[in-house]
Amino acid sequence: MRNNDDQISVRMLVLLLIGTVTVYVALRDPSMGVAIGVGAVVVALVHELLGK
């Protein structure tokens, strides 16, 4: 499947959706938002360290 630069990818949509949900949760319950944020950073770091 060819990636077209003019179209937004499904991966980008999922990342934006997750970011939006995280911000919403952080505004409603700050401690839960911090936990989700830390978890997301840890997962991203492990993903980068282990290679794609």
Side-chain angles (χ1 to χ4, degrees):
M1 183 177 199
R2 199 177 74 175
N3 188 7
N4 188 351
D5 291 335
D6 294 336
Q7 295 178 350
I8 190 164
S9 69
V10 173
R11 181 178 178 179
M12 182 58 72
L13 285 175
V14 170
L15 291 174
L16 286 172
L17 179 63
I18 290 171
T20 302
V21 169
T22 302
V23 169
Y24 176 76
V25 170
L27 288 174
R28 300 287 286 168
D29 184 6
S31 61
M32 181 65 83
V34 170
I36 292 172
V38 169
V41 169
V42 169
V43 168
L45 181 62
V46 169
H47 177 71
E48 285 297 317
L49 289 175
L50 294 178
K52 299 173 181 155

